Amino acid sequence: MLDVNLLRNNLDEIAERLVIKKFKFDKELFNRLEQERKQLQIRTEELQAKRNASSKQIGQLKAKGEDTSAIMAEVAGLGDELKAVETEFNNIANQLNAYLATVPNLPHESVPVGNDETANVEVRRVGVPRDFDFQVKDHVDIGASLSNGIDFEAGAKVSGSRFAFLKGNIAKLHRALAQFMLDLHTTEHGYTEIYSPYLVNANALYGTGQLPKFEEDLFKTKRGDDDMYLIPTSEVSVTNLAAGEIYKEEELPFKYSCHSPCFRSEAGSYGRDTRGMIRMHQFDKVEMVNIVHPDKSFEALEAMVQCAENVLKALKLPYRVIALCGGDMTFGSAKTYDLEVWVPSQNTYREISSCSNMTDFQARRMQARFKDSAGKNRLVHTLNGSGLAVGRALVAVLENYQNADGSVTVPEVLRSYMGCDILK
RNA sequence: GGAAGCUUGGCAGAGCGGUUGAAUGCACCGGUCUUGAAAACCGGCAAGGAUGCGAGUCCUUCGUGAGUUCGAAUCUCACAGCUUCCGCCA
């Protein structure tokens, strides 16, 4: 949610900056609703003030045992008008809020301008893709040959498309990756480990910005009469730890890391990445979430990207860092870096992490604040990033570490977790 | 699933129809005192919003929603959450 005052005072400028996020701000609608809102709110509050004053007076007169019938008559008609104006005011205010809830965050000045991924900017490339002197296999074939380590048929039988079973050493490698990432963040990067709920309520999803606009991307379920949703990322559950809080300034920043499954309907991506584990309805991710002072969020973003990169460096996987252009960034983000890992079978880099500074966009929706040195409550900034997507990391390890005989070398940093150095 | 109780400010805890946005204590912030600290004493201290250049004025909020009333933290109804006991259960 953007600051309404920003819209009231700098409407043209804000609308222009939103174009960078491919959003057409309806200035006419906003101005009309805002004007009505103002009138109705002033009138409502006038009537309320009058009612309050009269009621107070009646109380005083009654205490003195005096007659109150004159004032009672005066207030008699007030209730009906107040109720009518109030109803109309609520109606307009709700319309206004409903519209504002669909407006994306403003992009930071440093964000490249552009509509799609072709305008993204490569920031740096680390590591060199390995030269294979044999025909590379993709992870599906590698997984199949390793004692049926990845079983898509079973996934389809039990759940449907975009689900898979991992078996044996592949399942173990998957677990090792998640453990390694979490250990790295908690011991080297100063993160606090979190275990979070995987089902959340609608309010939490509103707070992080998935609702009301992106409900079709979510798996929805019920508990009694309440809607519950499977988290599409633990960004949702973990960031909402800050919802409604007023932190002390010196408590900031909070750095949380959470390993969780993520559930996405992938509506609208039919036919894309249908082979393999690149795009699944359920995948594991080790997430990083920062709750920070607003002056520090952009440096925190750079630091967070470093933490994600450290995972790839430790695994010795070639990758590149991409600064997303405005049109390719998500709804709530002010600035996003993607990390893309080398996938030999596709001869290209594929997204394995996305780190975003949401500035005060989520904080305003969930009223996450801190008390500054002047005693004033101010919104915190929130950031989130993958560190990393575990399923895709598994793909990258299998493919980059494959050998001519179909075996896979275990990356050094994972050997203590695996208890072996080669998978056959 | 059955039964009972509870839900007030950062926390604890009064209030049960009328100057109550809410006593009191703790925490926190400022001051006096002190070589310094502690103690003691004095003062301050909820959030959101409207309006205004500003001082300010006003509105809303005592789990949530609806109702009764000129007036609700206080009365009524519905819902939710929490706690304890019983049953079931990984």
Side-chain angles (χ1 to χ4, degrees), chain A residues 92-150:
Chain A
I92 294 294
N94 289 341
Q95 281 182 50
L96 194 55
N97 286 334
Y99 181 64
L100 292 179
T102 67
V103 179
N105 199 4
L106 292 171
H108 188 250
E109 306 94 67
S110 64
V111 167
V113 175
N115 278 328
D116 52 43
E117 68 274 7
T118 59
N120 293 344
V121 173
E122 185 175 308
V123 178
R124 58 184 166 271
R125 236 173 237 236
V126 178
V128 182
R130 181 181 148 198
D131 268 329
F132 290 91
D133 53 8
F134 57 91
Q135 184 64 42
V136 295
K137 291 195 273 187
D138 76 0
H139 65 280
V140 179
D141 290 336
I142 297 168
S145 65
L146 289 173
S147 35
N148 278 321
I150 309 178

Side-chain angles (χ1 to χ4, degrees), chain A residues 56-306:
Chain A
K56 193 174 269 186
Q57 218 178 333
I58 291 170
Q60 284 166 343
L61 289 175
K62 284 216 164 155
K64 282 188 258 170
E66 293 178 22
D67 175 53
T68 58
S69 55
I71 309 175
M72 299 278 267
E74 203 180 302
V75 193
L78 227 144
D80 289 342
E81 189 188 353
L82 180 58
K83 194 160 284 182
V85 177
E86 235 169 4
T87 305
E88 189 54 16
F89 167 61
N90 287 332
N91 178 20
I92 294 294
N94 289 341
Q95 281 182 50
L96 194 55
N97 286 334
Y99 181 64
L100 292 179
T102 67
V103 179
N105 199 4
L106 292 171
H108 188 250
E109 306 94 67
S110 64
V111 167
V113 175
N115 278 328
D116 52 43
E117 68 274 7
T118 59
N120 293 344
V121 173
E122 185 175 308
V123 178
R124 58 184 166 271
R125 236 173 237 236
V126 178
V128 182
R130 181 181 148 198
D131 268 329
F132 290 91
D133 53 8
F134 57 91
Q135 184 64 42
V136 295
K137 291 195 273 187
D138 76 0
H139 65 280
V140 179
D141 290 336
I142 297 168
S145 65
L146 289 173
S147 35
N148 278 321
I150 309 178
D151 193 337
F152 293 96
E153 286 74 26
K157 176 177 70 180
V158 175
S159 300
S161 67
R162 297 199 193 282
F163 286 94
F165 282 80
L166 303 180
K167 298 177 180 170
N169 275 333
I170 302 261
K172 189 172 181 181
L173 182 61
H174 184 261
R175 173 161 58 92
L177 278 163
Q179 299 264 27
F180 165 69
M181 293 176 197
L182 207 43
D183 285 344
L184 183 68
H185 295 316
T186 54
T187 61
E188 305 287 318
H189 299 152
Y191 276 74
T192 302
E193 181 168 351
I194 300 286
Y195 171 81
S196 92
Y198 303 150
L199 283 164
V200 294
N201 59 35
N203 197 42
L205 286 153
Y206 175 83
T208 38
Q210 282 78 15
L211 291 180
K213 237 183 167 175
F214 305 102
E215 179 161 18
E216 72 277 8
D217 296 339
L218 303 168
F219 283 107
K220 185 177 180 177
T221 182
K222 283 203 178 290
R223 187 195 48 171
D225 289 334
D226 291 333
D227 291 335
M228 297 285 288
Y229 297 83
L230 286 159
I231 54 172
T233 157
S234 57
E235 166 201 345
V236 176
S237 44
V238 177
T239 307
N240 271 285
L241 279 173
E245 298 295 327
I246 301 176
Y247 295 114
K248 293 181 182 140
E249 187 164 16
E250 61 270 21
E251 288 181 286
L252 301 175
F254 292 95
K255 293 163 73 180
Y256 296 129
S257 186
C258 179
H259 168 219
S260 84
C262 304
F263 303 91
R264 301 189 182 177
S265 75
E266 296 297 343
S269 61
Y270 304 111
R272 274 170 59 198
D273 301 313
T274 48
R275 181 177 166 84
M277 307 189 37
I278 291 286
R279 192 174 301 277
M280 307 291 278
H281 286 310
Q282 174 187 322
F283 62 94
D284 276 28
K285 184 153 60 70
V286 172
E287 184 75 0
M288 298 176 284
V289 168
N290 284 192
I291 315 290
V292 306
H293 190 286
D295 297 344
K296 306 255 174 72
S297 63
F298 283 96
E299 62 186 78
L301 177 63
E302 300 299 324
M304 182 181 275
V305 172
Q306 283 300 327

